Amino acid sequence: MKITQLKVHVLKSPLAEPFAFSQGWVRQRSATLVEVLTDDGLIGWGEAFAQGLEPPEIAAAAIEHALKPLVLGADPLDTEVLWHRMYHATRDYGRKGSVVAAISAIDTALWDLAGKHHGLPIHKLLGGAFRARVQPYATGFYRIRGQGEAARLAEEALRHFDAGFTLMKVKLGYGVDDDIACMHAIGTALQGKPVRLMVDTNHAYGRAEALRLGRALAEYDLRWYEEPVVPEDLSGYAEMRRQLTMPIAGGENEHTLFGFRDFLGAGCVDIAQPDLGSCGGLSAGRHIVALAQAHGVLVNPHVWGSAIAQAAALQFIAAVPVAHHSLFPLEPVLEYDRSSHPFRQQLITQPLQMVNGLVEVPTGPGLGVEVDRSVLEAFRA
Ligand code: CA
């Protein structure tokens, strides 16, 4: 089997109601998708994660101009070989960010192809499923005004609970006092309900504020505190972990085995969150899992992309071992973004759904999903 063609699809959709996370206002949802075609007639799909403020054209250009010539004519089953070829060729201007996201998209498409070639879901190729269903957590609580929205966020918490979520991640990082007021309102609204919360500041604060917030939230028994400081501040992360009682999580802005070597080696996190659309794809995800295992750290992927990214995350989560084995271990959970995304659900013919509080890992070949091409045309940038 040989790769005969590679197509990049940049999709965009403006949001009727822009929303803010701590780093800025999100005014559109976008995706950089890649389609890899072979002489066997098989097609593989992958996605480069476009961060909330990241123009999707950057990864698209890296795929088109830097990576496509490296994989055309190659055997798509050579996933590891091609990953190293792409990484080495872009080292001097890549290693992180959008270039590694571009590698991630192609790598994911190659794994999708490998699964279709063998007639197996990707999790089988990764060594099998530790779990067939994954508990999703609701990511939400974005701001539409900025500050002073505690009452609205408390109502949102009840909506997530009514929709079946018992795990919820609250976006914070809009000022420590405002954060604390919002958490108080949410905690009060959920009182007596079997809900566990996480928080995520998207690295809004320096160490002093991050610690102040963490101490103020000690009473909520958080499942984790995500991105308390900037990804460059490895010793700041380690300090959070030493001084705070809740588990510390992060890694969506870290990349490849090499980035995670430093991140895990410095003792930054209890839970590592590579995004398969930007860490280097499923191949890099495998490297990172091995490294995390050696450090006793649970890998719980971050996912905020389209349905392709969600399917890749589900395939990967199925195959992630727990960090600490026991009868009742801490299992990885699926990030289930509840913010507006006009084409995520429509992009595949059978949208991923939560049933009885769990999401099934797709069992069809490859990613186990089928792309609806009419949606590509409708949202093409
Ligand atoms: Ca996050």
Side-chain angles (χ1 to χ4, degrees):
M1 184 162 53
K2 276 193 173 26
I3 298 171
T4 51
Q5 224 200 115
L6 189 156
K7 295 181 190 169
V8 188
H9 305 275
V10 175
L11 310 186
K12 284 187 189 175
S13 179
L15 295 175
E17 184 172 65
F19 61 83
F21 70 124
S22 77
Q23 299 305 303
W25 288 92
V26 178
R27 301 184 192 282
Q28 65 174 19
R29 291 307 285 252
S30 49
T32 312
L33 304 181
V34 67
E35 179 186 7
V36 176
L37 295 83
T38 68
D39 58 357
D40 279 5
L42 296 177
I43 293 174
W45 289 92
E47 176 170 354
F49 175 41
Q51 294 274 2
L53 306 176
E54 180 177 357
E57 293 87 354
I58 305 175
I63 294 167
E64 188 65 38
H65 299 289
L67 303 176
K68 183 175 172 177
L70 301 174
V71 300
L72 280 181
D75 183 341
L77 300 180
D78 292 347
T79 49
E80 192 71 24
V81 170
L82 293 176
W83 192 90
H84 286 265
R85 184 185 293 176
M86 291 188 283
Y87 186 79
H88 291 316
T90 56
R91 170 177 280 118
D92 288 357
Y93 57 91
R95 298 202 305 280
K96 306 244 186 205
S98 302
V99 172
V100 182
I103 293 176
S104 309
I106 294 181
D107 180 80
T108 303
L110 299 183
W111 279 92
D112 188 27
L113 277 171
K116 286 167 175 166
H117 172 78
H118 292 293
L120 294 169
I122 288 170
H123 64 259
K124 276 286 179 199
L125 305 184
L126 293 173
F130 290 94
R131 51 199 72 80
R133 281 165 289 279
V134 183
Q135 185 180 1
Y137 69 86
T139 289
F141 306 94
Y142 297 88
R143 305 300 194 265
I144 52 176
R145 290 203 312 270
Q147 292 183 318
E149 301 183 62
R152 186 182 65 77
L153 298 177
E155 285 169 21
E156 180 179 337
L158 294 174
R159 274 206 310 280
H160 294 317
F161 181 74
D162 290 341
F165 290 98
T166 55
L167 286 172
M168 303 175 194
K169 188 166 82 185
V170 181
K171 285 285 172 184
L172 298 178
Y174 309 82
V176 174
D177 290 331
D178 191 80
D179 290 349
I180 292 170
C182 290
M183 286 298 287
H184 180 74
I186 293 166
T188 304
L190 293 173
Q191 206 140 40
K193 295 190 164 39
V195 173
R196 191 107 186 259
L197 297 174
M198 302 91 130
V199 298
D200 180 4
T201 67
N202 291 94
H203 54 74
Y205 301 129
R207 295 187 195 185
E209 289 171 294
L211 281 174
R212 184 179 157 231
L213 176 64
R215 288 186 177 123
L217 301 184
E219 63 182 287
Y220 294 100
D221 188 28
L222 298 176
R223 171 132 173 180
W224 70 60
Y225 178 4
E226 181 172 324
E227 287 205 292
V229 292
V230 291
E232 300 92 326
D233 188 9
L234 302 187
S235 60
Y237 259 103
E239 188 180 342
M240 298 302 127
R241 208 171 165 206
R242 272 194 308 275
Q243 298 221 27
L244 297 173
T245 51
M246 70 282 280
I248 301 297
E252 69 186 75
N253 291 304
E254 200 43 84
H255 305 82
T256 78
L257 176 69
F258 307 111
F260 277 87
R261 172 197 59 198
D262 297 342
F263 197 60
L264 296 169
C268 291
V269 288
D270 298 283
I271 295 154
Q273 300 172 301
D275 188 302
L276 296 167
S278 77
C279 76
L282 290 149
S283 296
R286 285 220 294 188
H287 306 158
I288 293 162
V289 162
L291 193 61
Q293 282 280 297
H295 285 84
V297 167
L298 178 67
V299 172
N300 202 131
H302 168 268
V303 55
W304 207 65
S306 79
I308 304 281
Q310 289 180 319
L314 272 172
Q315 292 293 339
F316 187 74
I317 289 172
V320 168
V322 296
H324 307 286
H325 176 262
S326 72
L327 271 179
F328 307 104
L330 193 65
E331 299 277 354
V333 288
L334 175 71
E335 179 161 22
Y336 206 94
D337 172 38
R338 305 288 286 165
S339 65
S340 177
H341 195 316
F343 53 83
R344 176 168 43 214
Q345 288 295 91
Q346 302 161 33
L347 185 62
I348 56 176
T349 52
Q350 286 187 304
L352 302 166
Q353 307 273 17
M354 174 166 65
V355 179
N356 297 326
L358 297 169
V359 178
E360 294 252 354
V361 176
T363 52
L367 291 169
V369 295
E370 203 176 313
V371 171
D372 180 345
R373 285 184 180 274
S374 68
V375 174
L376 292 182
E377 296 316 317
F379 292 97
R380 190 178 297 284

